[in-house]
Each structure stands twice: as structure tokens, then as C-alpha cells.
Amino acid sequence: MSTSNTDSHQTEKPKHTNRLITEKSPYLLQHAHNPVDWYPWCQEAIDKAKKENKLIFLSVGYSTCHWCHVMEKESFENEDVAKVMNEHFVNIKVDREERPDLDRVYMLFVMATSGGGGWPMSVFLTPDLRPVTGGTYFPPEDRWGRPGFKTVLLSLAKKWKENQAQFLEASRNIMDALEKIAKVDVKTSSVPGEATWNKCVRRYMMSYEPEFGGFGNAPKFPQSSIFNFLFHYYARDKNNTEGKKCLEMCLHTLTKIAKGGIHDHVSSGFARYSVDNHWHVPHFEKMLYDQAQLMVAYKDAYLATKNKFFADVVRDIVKYVNRDLRHDYGGYYSAEDADSYPTFDASHKKEGAFCVWEYNELKSLLGGKYIGAISYLDVFCDYFNVAESGNISPESDPHKELTNKNVLIIYGSKEETMLNFGLTQEQFDNVIFDCINILYEERQKRPRPHLDSKILCSWNGLIIAGLSQAGQGLGEKCFVEDAIKTAQFVKEYLYDHNTKTLLHSCYRGDNGNIVQTKQPIHGFLDDYAFLIKGLLDLYEASLDLKWLNWARELQIKQNELFWDDENGGYFTCSTEDTTVVMRLKEDQDGAEPSGNSVSCHNLQRLAAYSDKSVAPEGGEHEREMAKKLLIAFSKRLNDSPTALPEMMSALMFYNDSPTQVLIAGGSADPRTLELVRAVRSRLLPGRVLAVADPADAPAGMSDILMARIRTAGDVPTAYVCRRYACSLPVTDVKQLEDLLDKA
């Protein structure tokens, strides 16, 4: 378990302490010693703003956000700035990962009024919580053509005092405009068809960057929902020319990402994004949601090609999250920071300090090791593009923190380096393995980046899905066991057994145990949707019905809390918290997929498991909800198809109907498991796998599609059902493989 947090190495007694000191969020605790009189989001702060008739300054960020650290250092630690803030405003600090509902409302405002968004998010609100102006990062003084933060504060305080009525009118107009922007206007009664996803594919082909992969130019994010959609499109018809192009784009991009500096070649795992076009210089923070989703993308690449390279990347990600992001009880932490102290006695953090290397440092570590007459250092530097003066361009280092540093990146191949030095494959592998181990041990002597030890239900749902799918695709039983332990953790610490509802977050306490806030944050749409997805994948990986049954229970509760009966689709939050001024429907698959997109998949999978027969009315309720959801977002799907690649995949799933693979036989019978292995080893679009063990019937399977399936005597039997038509039963693995490989 990773427990390091080098923020604690500052031993001087803090000069200031504010209300955030009693919070559990690592982000809020980072600001607990600012001279700013911070409040968490609470009724006390809102009441104070109303009583004193002050604007609220809302600052939203997260603990591993580089520019959040910059603004804190420049402005929130500045006593002169804090004095202005405390005199004229009620100041509220929010962890966006704790309160995604608030973050989304005010981010919609910032993006609509400024044309861009990001964190830190800085928004000024009236006492009734309506936004009036805002932005992201503000420099401390006027520069770069942007007003300084202190200038903004004084100007707004003056305007609020002199012309409050104008502010209030503007805030009402802004809210009216935001509600129109956010409103899902349903003007059709039909679900989009093939033309919509074909348009989406063509747009990805147009934006594809062929040299280093990815879609668009720098900064580049490994947006996993795009891979999910393109792999799905390819797998529907592997002979389709455009489908083959989709596969090629995915494989090339994933290869370049894995070889790039965004991939930590020493400590494993992936950074959030690269600032350049080559996937070279990352923004060094590592997020749990990226690791979880990239497991699935590289698993799909492996299933499509059976290339060991992709399987090795999956194993590398699992190694990282289990070593550095996992609590002993089974839950996974949120992130590791981009910034860290260069040395233990340093006073300021630098971005990437934990990860980068100077040539002389590498020389001292590797220079004395040889294989024959060949230096390890020369092989390593050739393979990972190390330069004596550093390999980072000035354009990728605006703060001059990476001068003379190297971020390891592979531009060539093993074969090229082997040829350059006359090494065999075994010799090359041994040299690189030894070098990586030496550098890993050296890196552990450095101050570690801050660890955000907050544990989120939604992101743990994604990691359950990632581990379950990786375990199936690579045949790694231990990955499935990891997923089971995580699901058990969620049920123990993030689930209220009395109300059958989810909690959004829990936290690692000072002694390593799991703690909660005084008022636990109730689950949002993403918590339900992502966990249900994880549980469905875990059922298919473990064949344990309890996970499928819990997924069903949670789906019922999700429908109750978030479903829009009038227009279809799910709201991000429930009606419980009256301080949330707007209930939104997320319509963007970005770094994380939207809860609506994932839910559309979940509903269709649950519908398939609910079938009583092959008739279309089987699983009708869930399928009808999926239809209403797709209709609700049909305009967005048609107008901006690349905004919702995960939902586009769900749209194909809906139009095609699921590929149901139904197997009857003992779940411990080797013959059954061979049939299951044949299914798991293939990239199948819209796959739903169910196994009926006679030992579970009738109580376990009576209300599931599989109840009608019978074995051929005592021999395990498989059926493949597409478009609600099932094949004849087969008992031979080769016969099943032939059925699965048909278009």
C-alpha cells in the first residue's frame, strides 16, 4: 500500500489555520493553512453570505492539479490577497472530485461565458448561489493580457457595493441562459441509426494524427472512450474497410502512447496527458480513472491482435495501481500528483521532479555496468532517447523546470537498438530490465509526489471493470480476485445497507483505517453507473451471480434517484441537495465517460440478462429506458457525434442487439471453462456472457434468460444468440469458436 505524502515534511508550525482543517478531502486539507478564511461548501457559508450581503468566491480544484498549486502559492498563501478576500467575500473551497455536481454546474457557466474551462475554477456567486463572473487560473498581478486576481477581487467588490441590482439581474439572465443550454430538447421519437455512427467514424478519421496517433493536436489526452467506440465499430464487421482503418488508428495510437513519455517506463502507469504532439512530455499526475480505462483499451488491442506487447502494457498498469494506489482493504486511491520536492530539504515543489532524469545521474547509476564491452548506459540512452543536455524542448517547458532533464521515450524499436549494439533479444531484455530496476530503486530515494488518498465509488467502479475485463482477456485469475476484493470494499465502505444507496467517497485515516466525513456525500449518477458496469463485468469474469444481482438492485435505485420521467435520460444528481442550483444531464464523454453513456450500455446488458425468451419483449423495461435515453440525446449524437463516443457505442449495441453467449454447465467443470475461455479470448461487439450452473438452479437463475437453456445430457452446452435468434446448441469448443467468428 502506498502511504507516502511528502507534504508532511514541512515541520514548521503553521502561522494560519482555517476551517478546512477538519475536512477529509486531501485537496481541502492542502488549503487548511492558507491565510484565507476558507469554508467548505456548507449552509453556514451560504447563510453568512446572505447575512453579510457579500459575494461568494468559489474556488474549485483537486489535489493533484498543477495550476491549482500555482494559484494557491501565488494568491491564496499571499496575506495581502487573503486580506482582500476575507474582507469582501465569503470564500468557499470545493474538491471537484468530491462534488462533481457543483463542479459541472459552474463549469458550464465558465465555459459558456469564457469559451474555455479547466482547474482551478474561480467563480463569483451571489448569496443565492447564482454565478455572475468567473474563469480558471488568475495570475496574482496583471500580466499576459489578463487581469491579476487582486485586481479582479477589488473591482468586483466595488461593483457589488455600488450596483447590486445590476449583478442580481445579470445573474438571473445567466441562469436562464444556462438552463436553455443544459436543457435536453427532445424533438424526435426515433433512435438514430447507422448514418450517425458512420459520421462519427469519418470525423475521427479526419481528426486522426497519423504520425504519433491520437485525435487532434497537442495537448493530447488518451481518451479511452474513443478506443471503445472504434474497437466496437471494427469488431462488428472485421472485413469492413473503414472498420480496419478504425483498428489501425487504435493500434498505432496505443503503441505510440505506450512508447511515449506519458507512459512511466520506470514506475509504470500512465500520466494524464502530454503537452506535446509526440506523447513525450507529460503533465505528470496519474489518475486512477485513466489507469482503469486504459486497461480495457490495451486488453482490446491484445484481443484484436494477440500481440504480447499490448498484454504487457495491461500487466504494467495493474502492477502500478496495485503497488501505488491501493489500500490494504481493497479500495483504490484517486491520484498521484504531478509536482514533488526535488530534494527532501527543498522549499518548493517542481513538476515532474520525481520522474525526470539528468544524463549525469544516469551515468553514475548505469555507467559502470557492461555486457561484454557494451555499456548499459549507451544501450539505455539509445533506446529511451536520452540526451546529455536533456531531451525536452523549451516549448514543452514554459516554467523552465525541466532544463537538462530527460523524459524517457521510445522513438524506435527493440530491434533497432539490438542491431545498433549487436545484442540478442535475450541480452537486450536483460540489459533494459536491469537498468529499469536500478532506476526504480533510485527513484524511491526521492521525495514522493502527494498521494490523493480519497477513495471514490465511481472510479473504483471503473477499476473493477478494468480488472475484470483484463482478467478475462488475458486469462489472469489474480486480476479478477483483485476486482472481487474491490467490490467487497465498496459494499463495506461505500454502500448504505439500510437505504440500499451508494456513498460517493471515503478516506484513508491517519492510522490507515477507512473514515467518513461527518455528513457522508451521497452517490451521484456516475457512482451508480460506473459501479453497475464494473459489477456486470465482474459477473462475467467470476461467474458469481451475487454481483449480477447487486447490479440489478443498484440499477433500480439509480432509476429512482436520477431518471427523468419527462424527457428520458439521467440527471447527474438527485433532488436531495437544495444548494445545487441546476440538475444537469452530462452529455460529454471526456476523460471519463458520461454516466448516461455508461448507463445506456448497462440497461441493455441487464435487459439481455432479464430475457425470459428470444422474443423481442424480453427485458422490455430496461431496453425501453435505453431507447428513451438515446432519443433524449439523439440531437447531440447527430450534431456532435465525437462528443459522445461511449454513447455511440451504446447506440450500435442498441441497433444490433446484444451478442448473447449462453453456456449451460457446471461452473467448475473444465469443459464449461473451455467454452468460456473461447468467448473471453475474442473481441466481440456488444457481448453478454451468461453461464447457468445446474447447481444454481432454480433459485439462482430462475429469473434469468439462462433458465431455459439445457445441457445436452451431462455435457456443457453453448448457444450464440444474435438479433434475438439463437444458434443450435454446440458442445465442441471449435464449433463455438466458428459461431463466434461469424460476422
Side-chain angles (χ1 to χ4, degrees), residues 18 20-21 23-33 39-41 63 93-95 98:
N18 57 54
L20 301 183
I21 196 65
E23 294 297 307
K24 303 297 184 201
S25 156
Y27 176 63
L28 299 188
L29 289 170
Q30 284 175 349
H31 294 77
H33 298 298
Y39 284 81
W41 184 270
S63 79
K93 177 65 72 172
V94 165
D95 182 338
E98 271 194 328

PDB file of all heavy atoms in Angstrom, residues 18 20-21 23-33 39-41 63 93-95 98:
ATOM      1  N   ASN A  18      -7.410  27.401   9.084  1.00  0.00           N
ATOM      2  CA  ASN A  18      -8.803  27.770   8.838  1.00  0.00           C
ATOM      3  C   ASN A  18      -9.721  26.556   8.987  1.00  0.00           C
ATOM      4  O   ASN A  18      -9.281  25.466   9.358  1.00  0.00           O
ATOM      5  CB  ASN A  18      -8.952  28.432   7.462  1.00  0.00           C
ATOM      6  CG  ASN A  18      -8.446  27.555   6.330  1.00  0.00           C
ATOM      7  OD1 ASN A  18      -8.868  26.407   6.192  1.00  0.00           O
ATOM      8  ND2 ASN A  18      -7.535  28.086   5.515  1.00  0.00           N
ATOM      9  N   LEU A  20     -10.960  24.458   7.065  1.00  0.00           N
ATOM     10  CA  LEU A  20     -10.735  23.257   6.254  1.00  0.00           C
ATOM     11  C   LEU A  20      -9.941  22.195   7.005  1.00  0.00           C
ATOM     12  O   LEU A  20      -9.864  21.049   6.552  1.00  0.00           O
ATOM     13  CB  LEU A  20     -10.017  23.631   4.949  1.00  0.00           C
ATOM     14  CG  LEU A  20     -10.732  24.634   4.039  1.00  0.00           C
ATOM     15  CD1 LEU A  20      -9.940  24.839   2.754  1.00  0.00           C
ATOM     16  CD2 LEU A  20     -12.157  24.197   3.735  1.00  0.00           C
ATOM     17  N   ILE A  21      -9.389  22.538   8.136  1.00  0.00           N
ATOM     18  CA  ILE A  21      -8.550  21.600   8.882  1.00  0.00           C
ATOM     19  C   ILE A  21      -9.345  20.387   9.363  1.00  0.00           C
ATOM     20  O   ILE A  21      -8.777  19.323   9.608  1.00  0.00           O
ATOM     21  CB  ILE A  21      -7.869  22.310  10.086  1.00  0.00           C
ATOM     22  CG1 ILE A  21      -6.710  21.474  10.635  1.00  0.00           C
ATOM     23  CG2 ILE A  21      -8.885  22.641  11.173  1.00  0.00           C
ATOM     24  CD1 ILE A  21      -5.560  21.303   9.687  1.00  0.00           C
ATOM     25  N   GLU A  23     -11.687  18.891   7.559  1.00  0.00           N
ATOM     26  CA  GLU A  23     -12.193  18.149   6.404  1.00  0.00           C
ATOM     27  C   GLU A  23     -11.368  16.883   6.170  1.00  0.00           C
ATOM     28  O   GLU A  23     -10.262  16.729   6.696  1.00  0.00           O
ATOM     29  CB  GLU A  23     -12.164  19.034   5.162  1.00  0.00           C
ATOM     30  CG  GLU A  23     -13.122  20.211   5.225  1.00  0.00           C
ATOM     31  CD  GLU A  23     -14.578  19.775   5.311  1.00  0.00           C
ATOM     32  OE1 GLU A  23     -15.017  18.980   4.453  1.00  0.00           O
ATOM     33  OE2 GLU A  23     -15.275  20.207   6.235  1.00  0.00           O
ATOM     34  N   LYS A  24     -11.871  15.988   5.340  1.00  0.00           N
ATOM     35  CA  LYS A  24     -11.179  14.744   4.989  1.00  0.00           C
ATOM     36  C   LYS A  24     -10.538  14.801   3.608  1.00  0.00           C
ATOM     37  O   LYS A  24      -9.593  14.061   3.332  1.00  0.00           O
ATOM     38  CB  LYS A  24     -12.158  13.563   5.019  1.00  0.00           C
ATOM     39  CG  LYS A  24     -12.866  13.348   6.340  1.00  0.00           C
ATOM     40  CD  LYS A  24     -11.906  13.009   7.451  1.00  0.00           C
ATOM     41  CE  LYS A  24     -12.665  12.698   8.743  1.00  0.00           C
ATOM     42  NZ  LYS A  24     -11.819  12.847   9.928  1.00  0.00           N
ATOM     43  N   SER A  25     -11.045  15.662   2.733  1.00  0.00           N
ATOM     44  CA  SER A  25     -10.528  15.757   1.365  1.00  0.00           C
ATOM     45  C   SER A  25      -9.069  16.208   1.367  1.00  0.00           C
ATOM     46  O   SER A  25      -8.739  17.263   1.942  1.00  0.00           O
ATOM     47  CB  SER A  25     -11.357  16.752   0.556  1.00  0.00           C
ATOM     48  OG  SER A  25     -10.615  17.268  -0.530  1.00  0.00           O
ATOM     49  N   PRO A  26      -8.167  15.470   0.741  1.00  0.00           N
ATOM     50  CA  PRO A  26      -6.768  15.915   0.655  1.00  0.00           C
ATOM     51  C   PRO A  26      -6.625  17.292   0.015  1.00  0.00           C
ATOM     52  O   PRO A  26      -5.748  18.068   0.403  1.00  0.00           O
ATOM     53  CB  PRO A  26      -6.106  14.825  -0.204  1.00  0.00           C
ATOM     54  CG  PRO A  26      -6.924  13.605   0.061  1.00  0.00           C
ATOM     55  CD  PRO A  26      -8.335  14.107   0.189  1.00  0.00           C
ATOM     56  N   TYR A  27      -7.487  17.623  -0.926  1.00  0.00           N
ATOM     57  CA  TYR A  27      -7.413  18.944  -1.571  1.00  0.00           C
ATOM     58  C   TYR A  27      -7.767  20.053  -0.588  1.00  0.00           C
ATOM     59  O   TYR A  27      -7.075  21.067  -0.501  1.00  0.00           O
ATOM     60  CB  TYR A  27      -8.351  18.988  -2.784  1.00  0.00           C
ATOM     61  CG  TYR A  27      -8.414  20.336  -3.458  1.00  0.00           C
ATOM     62  CD1 TYR A  27      -7.289  20.889  -4.053  1.00  0.00           C
ATOM     63  CD2 TYR A  27      -9.601  21.062  -3.500  1.00  0.00           C
ATOM     64  CE1 TYR A  27      -7.335  22.132  -4.675  1.00  0.00           C
ATOM     65  CE2 TYR A  27      -9.663  22.298  -4.122  1.00  0.00           C
ATOM     66  CZ  TYR A  27      -8.531  22.832  -4.710  1.00  0.00           C
ATOM     67  OH  TYR A  27      -8.580  24.059  -5.326  1.00  0.00           O
ATOM     68  N   LEU A  28      -8.840  19.876   0.166  1.00  0.00           N
ATOM     69  CA  LEU A  28      -9.219  20.894   1.134  1.00  0.00           C
ATOM     70  C   LEU A  28      -8.159  21.022   2.222  1.00  0.00           C
ATOM     71  O   LEU A  28      -7.827  22.134   2.657  1.00  0.00           O
ATOM     72  CB  LEU A  28     -10.585  20.566   1.742  1.00  0.00           C
ATOM     73  CG  LEU A  28     -11.764  20.487   0.761  1.00  0.00           C
ATOM     74  CD1 LEU A  28     -13.076  20.352   1.510  1.00  0.00           C
ATOM     75  CD2 LEU A  28     -11.814  21.683  -0.175  1.00  0.00           C
ATOM     76  N   LEU A  29      -7.604  19.905   2.640  1.00  0.00           N
ATOM     77  CA  LEU A  29      -6.567  19.947   3.669  1.00  0.00           C
ATOM     78  C   LEU A  29      -5.308  20.668   3.186  1.00  0.00           C
ATOM     79  O   LEU A  29      -4.587  21.275   3.989  1.00  0.00           O
ATOM     80  CB  LEU A  29      -6.222  18.522   4.119  1.00  0.00           C
ATOM     81  CG  LEU A  29      -7.313  17.824   4.942  1.00  0.00           C
ATOM     82  CD1 LEU A  29      -6.971  16.346   5.132  1.00  0.00           C
ATOM     83  CD2 LEU A  29      -7.490  18.509   6.297  1.00  0.00           C
ATOM     84  N   GLN A  30      -5.039  20.615   1.876  1.00  0.00           N
ATOM     85  CA  GLN A  30      -3.895  21.362   1.341  1.00  0.00           C
ATOM     86  C   GLN A  30      -4.034  22.865   1.587  1.00  0.00           C
ATOM     87  O   GLN A  30      -3.038  23.592   1.632  1.00  0.00           O
ATOM     88  CB  GLN A  30      -3.763  21.119  -0.170  1.00  0.00           C
ATOM     89  CG  GLN A  30      -3.169  19.769  -0.539  1.00  0.00           C
ATOM     90  CD  GLN A  30      -3.171  19.537  -2.047  1.00  0.00           C
ATOM     91  OE1 GLN A  30      -3.794  20.276  -2.798  1.00  0.00           O
ATOM     92  NE2 GLN A  30      -2.475  18.496  -2.484  1.00  0.00           N
ATOM     93  N   HIS A  31      -5.272  23.344   1.729  1.00  0.00           N
ATOM     94  CA  HIS A  31      -5.533  24.781   1.889  1.00  0.00           C
ATOM     95  C   HIS A  31      -5.882  25.146   3.335  1.00  0.00           C
ATOM     96  O   HIS A  31      -6.294  26.275   3.606  1.00  0.00           O
ATOM     97  CB  HIS A  31      -6.667  25.214   0.955  1.00  0.00           C
ATOM     98  CG  HIS A  31      -6.306  25.116  -0.494  1.00  0.00           C
ATOM     99  ND1 HIS A  31      -6.276  23.908  -1.165  1.00  0.00           N
ATOM    100  CD2 HIS A  31      -5.932  26.058  -1.397  1.00  0.00           C
ATOM    101  CE1 HIS A  31      -5.910  24.124  -2.425  1.00  0.00           C
ATOM    102  NE2 HIS A  31      -5.693  25.406  -2.586  1.00  0.00           N
ATOM    103  N   ALA A  32      -5.736  24.200   4.254  1.00  0.00           N
ATOM    104  CA  ALA A  32      -6.160  24.435   5.638  1.00  0.00           C
ATOM    105  C   ALA A  32      -5.280  25.446   6.365  1.00  0.00           C
ATOM    106  O   ALA A  32      -5.684  25.977   7.403  1.00  0.00           O
ATOM    107  CB  ALA A  32      -6.179  23.112   6.398  1.00  0.00           C
ATOM    108  N   HIS A  33      -4.092  25.717   5.835  1.00  0.00           N
ATOM    109  CA  HIS A  33      -3.196  26.671   6.487  1.00  0.00           C
ATOM    110  C   HIS A  33      -2.981  27.933   5.651  1.00  0.00           C
ATOM    111  O   HIS A  33      -2.044  28.679   5.890  1.00  0.00           O
ATOM    112  CB  HIS A  33      -1.868  25.995   6.819  1.00  0.00           C
ATOM    113  CG  HIS A  33      -2.016  24.861   7.784  1.00  0.00           C
ATOM    114  ND1 HIS A  33      -2.492  25.035   9.059  1.00  0.00           N
ATOM    115  CD2 HIS A  33      -1.782  23.531   7.648  1.00  0.00           C
ATOM    116  CE1 HIS A  33      -2.532  23.869   9.684  1.00  0.00           C
ATOM    117  NE2 HIS A  33      -2.119  22.948   8.846  1.00  0.00           N
ATOM    118  N   TYR A  39     -14.188  28.356   3.786  1.00  0.00           N
ATOM    119  CA  TYR A  39     -15.237  27.450   4.241  1.00  0.00           C
ATOM    120  C   TYR A  39     -15.288  26.270   3.264  1.00  0.00           C
ATOM    121  O   TYR A  39     -15.019  26.454   2.064  1.00  0.00           O
ATOM    122  CB  TYR A  39     -16.615  28.118   4.189  1.00  0.00           C
ATOM    123  CG  TYR A  39     -16.908  29.112   5.281  1.00  0.00           C
ATOM    124  CD1 TYR A  39     -16.433  30.420   5.202  1.00  0.00           C
ATOM    125  CD2 TYR A  39     -17.688  28.756   6.374  1.00  0.00           C
ATOM    126  CE1 TYR A  39     -16.715  31.348   6.190  1.00  0.00           C
ATOM    127  CE2 TYR A  39     -17.985  29.679   7.372  1.00  0.00           C
ATOM    128  CZ  TYR A  39     -17.494  30.974   7.271  1.00  0.00           C
ATOM    129  OH  TYR A  39     -17.779  31.884   8.257  1.00  0.00           O
ATOM    130  N   PRO A  40     -15.667  25.093   3.727  1.00  0.00           N
ATOM    131  CA  PRO A  40     -16.094  24.071   2.762  1.00  0.00           C
ATOM    132  C   PRO A  40     -17.489  24.455   2.256  1.00  0.00           C
ATOM    133  O   PRO A  40     -18.104  25.399   2.794  1.00  0.00           O
ATOM    134  CB  PRO A  40     -16.152  22.801   3.625  1.00  0.00           C
ATOM    135  CG  PRO A  40     -16.486  23.305   4.994  1.00  0.00           C
ATOM    136  CD  PRO A  40     -15.792  24.650   5.125  1.00  0.00           C
ATOM    137  N   TRP A  41     -17.983  23.755   1.244  1.00  0.00           N
ATOM    138  CA  TRP A  41     -19.349  24.018   0.780  1.00  0.00           C
ATOM    139  C   TRP A  41     -20.303  23.594   1.897  1.00  0.00           C
ATOM    140  O   TRP A  41     -20.375  22.416   2.246  1.00  0.00           O
ATOM    141  CB  TRP A  41     -19.642  23.238  -0.496  1.00  0.00           C
ATOM    142  CG  TRP A  41     -20.988  23.535  -1.094  1.00  0.00           C
ATOM    143  CD1 TRP A  41     -22.162  22.909  -0.831  1.00  0.00           C
ATOM    144  CD2 TRP A  41     -21.289  24.550  -2.056  1.00  0.00           C
ATOM    145  NE1 TRP A  41     -23.181  23.456  -1.558  1.00  0.00           N
ATOM    146  CE2 TRP A  41     -22.677  24.472  -2.327  1.00  0.00           C
ATOM    147  CE3 TRP A  41     -20.527  25.510  -2.711  1.00  0.00           C
ATOM    148  CZ2 TRP A  41     -23.311  25.312  -3.232  1.00  0.00           C
ATOM    149  CZ3 TRP A  41     -21.159  26.361  -3.620  1.00  0.00           C
ATOM    150  CH2 TRP A  41     -22.532  26.265  -3.875  1.00  0.00           C
ATOM    151  N   SER A  63      -6.581  17.817  -5.723  1.00  0.00           N
ATOM    152  CA  SER A  63      -5.305  17.854  -5.005  1.00  0.00           C
ATOM    153  C   SER A  63      -4.093  17.619  -5.893  1.00  0.00           C
ATOM    154  O   SER A  63      -2.983  17.992  -5.533  1.00  0.00           O
ATOM    155  CB  SER A  63      -5.307  16.843  -3.861  1.00  0.00           C
ATOM    156  OG  SER A  63      -5.064  15.533  -4.329  1.00  0.00           O
ATOM    157  N   LYS A  93     -14.112  26.702  -0.679  1.00  0.00           N
ATOM    158  CA  LYS A  93     -13.205  25.812  -1.417  1.00  0.00           C
ATOM    159  C   LYS A  93     -13.900  24.465  -1.618  1.00  0.00           C
ATOM    160  O   LYS A  93     -14.414  23.869  -0.667  1.00  0.00           O
ATOM    161  CB  LYS A  93     -11.905  25.645  -0.632  1.00  0.00           C
ATOM    162  CG  LYS A  93     -10.895  24.692  -1.222  1.00  0.00           C
ATOM    163  CD  LYS A  93     -10.345  25.169  -2.554  1.00  0.00           C
ATOM    164  CE  LYS A  93      -9.421  26.342  -2.427  1.00  0.00           C
ATOM    165  NZ  LYS A  93      -8.762  26.650  -3.749  1.00  0.00           N
ATOM    166  N   VAL A  94     -13.903  23.979  -2.866  1.00  0.00           N
ATOM    167  CA  VAL A  94     -14.565  22.718  -3.208  1.00  0.00           C
ATOM    168  C   VAL A  94     -13.602  21.798  -3.944  1.00  0.00           C
ATOM    169  O   VAL A  94     -12.890  22.238  -4.863  1.00  0.00           O
ATOM    170  CB  VAL A  94     -15.833  22.970  -4.072  1.00  0.00           C
ATOM    171  CG1 VAL A  94     -16.321  21.686  -4.733  1.00  0.00           C
ATOM    172  CG2 VAL A  94     -16.944  23.563  -3.214  1.00  0.00           C
ATOM    173  N   ASP A  95     -13.569  20.543  -3.532  1.00  0.00           N
ATOM    174  CA  ASP A  95     -12.846  19.488  -4.244  1.00  0.00           C
ATOM    175  C   ASP A  95     -13.769  18.979  -5.347  1.00  0.00           C
ATOM    176  O   ASP A  95     -14.823  18.410  -5.066  1.00  0.00           O
ATOM    177  CB  ASP A  95     -12.500  18.362  -3.265  1.00  0.00           C
ATOM    178  CG  ASP A  95     -11.695  17.224  -3.892  1.00  0.00           C
ATOM    179  OD1 ASP A  95     -11.744  17.062  -5.128  1.00  0.00           O
ATOM    180  OD2 ASP A  95     -11.062  16.468  -3.139  1.00  0.00           O
ATOM    181  N   GLU A  98     -14.902  15.487  -5.051  1.00  0.00           N
ATOM    182  CA  GLU A  98     -15.905  15.233  -4.016  1.00  0.00           C
ATOM    183  C   GLU A  98     -17.293  15.680  -4.461  1.00  0.00           C
ATOM    184  O   GLU A  98     -18.286  15.027  -4.144  1.00  0.00           O
ATOM    185  CB  GLU A  98     -15.557  16.007  -2.739  1.00  0.00           C
ATOM    186  CG  GLU A  98     -14.666  15.305  -1.768  1.00  0.00           C
ATOM    187  CD  GLU A  98     -14.664  15.998  -0.417  1.00  0.00           C
ATOM    188  OE1 GLU A  98     -14.805  17.232  -0.349  1.00  0.00           O
ATOM    189  OE2 GLU A  98     -14.516  15.290   0.588  1.00  0.00           O
TER     190      GLU A  98
END
